[in-house]
Amino acid sequence: MHTDHKREDPLVEMGYEVRDIDVPSVAKAAMGFFAFAIGSYVVGWFIYRYMHPEPFNVPVKPAFARRLPLSPNPLLQSNVTAKTDIADLRQAESGQLSTTGPSAIDATKSHIPIDRAMRILAERGLPVITSNEPAVTKGNTTDEKKR
């Protein structure tokens, strides 16, 4: 059976809201928000300039120019100095492993390249140590008595 009167949406009968958003109200609220934000920024800038009247063209020290601390204080590393220090250490280590010369620790000893030392060890073998001492010594964690 048809009727000529307009039937209400069934979602309204179930309690749902069927209207769309009010675009002009949302646009007015967004414009008000942005106007408030920009106005607050301008007022804040003027307050800051009033509190700090120094000119804008104050020379700024470059970020990489650092002051060294006085003698008893430690010098802290940055990422750049840490990387260059590690690179210098690796270069010194590789130089120590690939050259011959006197030892830096003991002047009566010298060092040889690691490849040569490995070749000598492969030819001669490890030294044989013979000892009649038992493996159990004072202070060891194993029992001295055999059960």
Side-chain angles (χ1 to χ4, degrees), residues 64-113:
F64 57 85
R66 62 180 185 178
R67 282 190 329 206
L68 295 177
L70 297 177
S71 179
N73 296 324
L75 178 63
L76 299 178
Q77 283 187 320
S78 67
N79 284 339
V80 174
T81 58
K83 288 179 182 178
T84 56
D85 288 349
I86 290 173
D88 294 343
L89 174 70
R90 296 291 181 240
Q91 187 177 8
E93 286 175 340
S94 65
Q96 187 81 8
L97 290 174
S98 61
T99 60
T100 15
S103 174
I105 299 170
D106 188 2
T108 61
K109 298 180 181 179
S110 62
H111 63 87
I112 61 174

Side-chain angles (χ1 to χ4, degrees), residues 43-63:
V43 169
W45 187 83
F46 278 114
I47 291 172
Y48 178 78
R49 295 301 342 149
Y50 178 73
M51 297 292 207
H52 301 282
E54 72 269 357
F56 283 111
N57 56 1
V58 174
V60 178
K61 292 181 182 179

